[in-house]
Amino acid sequence: MATVKTKDGVEIFYKDWGPRDAKVIHFHHGWPLSSDDWDAQMLFFVNKGYRVIAHDRRGHGRSSQVWDGHDMNHYADDVAAVVEKLGTQGAMHVGHSTGGGEVVRYIARHGERNVSKAVLISAVPPLMVKTDSNPGGTPKSVFDDFQVHVAANRAQFYRDVPAGPFYGYNRPGAKPSEGVIQNWWRQGMMGSAKAQYDGIVAFSQTDFTEDLEGITIPVLVIHGDDDQVVPYSDSGELSAKLVKNGKLITYKGAPHGIPTTHADKVNADLLDFLKS
């Protein structure tokens, strides 16, 4: 397996497909998944001649199951380690959910010199948790409950989440895909319970407001307005306004997991943004 070792000794697994001299797209997955969640996008773009890269976040997928460092700063520095090893310049970085926070923090900590554009899909910035300054956020008790479920019976929890709100399969008239549900479960169970437990705090309580305000490169924000995991009005809409050069595309009635449920539309919008 292809891996890079970080400064604190963590082995980060990555995929690197396509011609070395092609334009690069780097994908960042959501919680508690792995780079496999980008299959539909990576196959689409590599078949169009692009170079596509995706890594498994520390403690997730095939990366080291270390007990510590499960916070946005470490996530961002791990991305930098992958970028440094591969020498990718001018890449478009695409993040879904927690991965969107990872993209924003990576740019904030390591600058825009290696990033041409950024895409935030159903992403957690600016801040998920409800606070005095973020009254529209989700109550902390919701995320505390996530941790209770991960600690008590994550195997069942990781069945219930994709079978319900993640893909909108709990909505009237929805047609659940058992394969999609099981693939989510498979990816989640590959990772470390400790990493995923700590990751809930990382994705829900990290404030990315100042990070977003400092970004000057073009940013595309894609978000479904029926997202039951990362509510649209407190995330996508706000992020697009906070960056200096943002564009928002709203998917009407779409759920959280749109790279899977709306793969064709996501791929088309990514391609248009890449070429713009």
Side-chain angles (χ1 to χ4, degrees), residues 42-158:
M42 292 186 70
L43 285 170
F44 175 83
F45 282 100
V46 77
N47 286 335
K48 287 193 171 293
Y50 293 94
R51 182 180 176 187
V52 292
I53 297 166
H55 70 287
D56 290 355
R57 190 167 299 120
R58 65 168 58 204
H60 296 65
R62 289 137 294 204
S63 292
S64 297
Q65 293 201 7
V66 292
W67 74 273
D68 61 347
H70 307 297
D71 57 76
M72 283 294 167
N73 287 347
H74 278 90
Y75 294 165
D77 293 349
D78 293 347
V79 173
V82 176
V83 170
E84 182 179 355
K85 176 174 180 176
L86 299 180
T88 50
Q89 306 292 321
M92 182 170 85
H93 283 255
V94 182
H96 175 244
S97 196
T98 299
E102 182 175 273
V103 168
V104 170
R105 183 53 54 90
Y106 167 66
I107 295 171
R109 283 178 69 83
H110 297 276
E112 299 179 347
R113 64 187 183 280
N114 291 325
V115 186
S116 59
K117 298 177 180 179
V119 183
L120 309 179
I121 303 176
S122 310
V124 298
L127 173 63
M128 283 199 73
V129 72
K130 182 177 181 179
T131 64
D132 290 342
S133 60
N134 186 40
T138 302
K140 183 176 178 294
S141 59
V142 172
F143 304 114
D144 293 343
D145 194 47
F146 280 12
Q147 289 187 309
V148 169
H149 284 298
V150 169
N153 187 353
R154 71 173 176 143
Q156 185 60 53
F157 186 50
Y158 288 0

Side-chain angles (χ1 to χ4, degrees), residues 12 14-15 30 78 109 111 128 131 135 154 161 215 246 270:
I12 300 295
Y14 66 88
K15 304 175 186 180
D78 293 347
R109 283 178 69 83
M128 283 199 73
T131 64
R154 71 173 176 143
V161 171
I215 295 176
L270 291 178

Side-chain angles (χ1 to χ4, degrees), residues 4-252:
V4 58
K5 182 171 285 189
T6 67
K7 292 179 180 178
D8 59 342
V10 181
E11 294 282 350
I12 300 295
F13 167 85
Y14 66 88
K15 304 175 186 180
D16 182 3
W17 304 346
R20 302 302 89 178
D21 58 348
K23 186 171 258 185
V24 180
I25 311 171
H26 194 133
F27 294 96
H28 306 247
H29 67 80
W31 177 95
L33 306 174
S34 73
S35 56
D36 293 353
D37 205 46
W38 290 110
D39 284 354
Q41 285 68 46
M42 292 186 70
L43 285 170
F44 175 83
F45 282 100
V46 77
N47 286 335
K48 287 193 171 293
Y50 293 94
R51 182 180 176 187
V52 292
I53 297 166
H55 70 287
D56 290 355
R57 190 167 299 120
R58 65 168 58 204
H60 296 65
R62 289 137 294 204
S63 292
S64 297
Q65 293 201 7
V66 292
W67 74 273
D68 61 347
H70 307 297
D71 57 76
M72 283 294 167
N73 287 347
H74 278 90
Y75 294 165
D77 293 349
D78 293 347
V79 173
V82 176
V83 170
E84 182 179 355
K85 176 174 180 176
L86 299 180
T88 50
Q89 306 292 321
M92 182 170 85
H93 283 255
V94 182
H96 175 244
S97 196
T98 299
E102 182 175 273
V103 168
V104 170
R105 183 53 54 90
Y106 167 66
I107 295 171
R109 283 178 69 83
H110 297 276
E112 299 179 347
R113 64 187 183 280
N114 291 325
V115 186
S116 59
K117 298 177 180 179
V119 183
L120 309 179
I121 303 176
S122 310
V124 298
L127 173 63
M128 283 199 73
V129 72
K130 182 177 181 179
T131 64
D132 290 342
S133 60
N134 186 40
T138 302
K140 183 176 178 294
S141 59
V142 172
F143 304 114
D144 293 343
D145 194 47
F146 280 12
Q147 289 187 309
V148 169
H149 284 298
V150 169
N153 187 353
R154 71 173 176 143
Q156 185 60 53
F157 186 50
Y158 288 0
R159 181 66 170 70
D160 295 342
V161 171
F166 198 91
Y167 296 113
Y169 289 158
N170 57 344
R171 294 305 199 201
K175 297 179 180 179
S177 165
E178 189 60 33
V180 167
I181 294 167
Q182 290 188 18
N183 188 44
W184 201 101
W185 184 91
R186 174 191 67 85
Q187 292 179 68
M189 294 304 293
M190 284 172 66
S192 157
K194 180 66 166 65
Q196 294 163 355
Y197 183 92
D198 291 353
I200 293 167
V201 174
F203 76 67
S204 67
Q205 296 185 35
T206 302
D207 190 341
F208 300 96
T209 302
E210 291 186 5
D211 298 348
L212 290 164
E213 290 173 340
I215 295 176
T216 62
I217 58 172
V219 178
L220 174 64
V221 179
I222 301 175
H223 217 109
D225 66 2
D226 191 35
D227 191 326
Q228 301 172 70
V229 179
V230 181
Y232 172 82
S233 61
D234 198 54
S235 52
E237 275 191 323
L238 297 181
S239 290
K241 293 175 182 177
L242 285 168
V243 296
K244 292 179 173 60
N245 188 8
K247 176 184 178 182
L248 172 65
I249 299 179
T250 304
Y251 287 15
K252 296 296 184 181

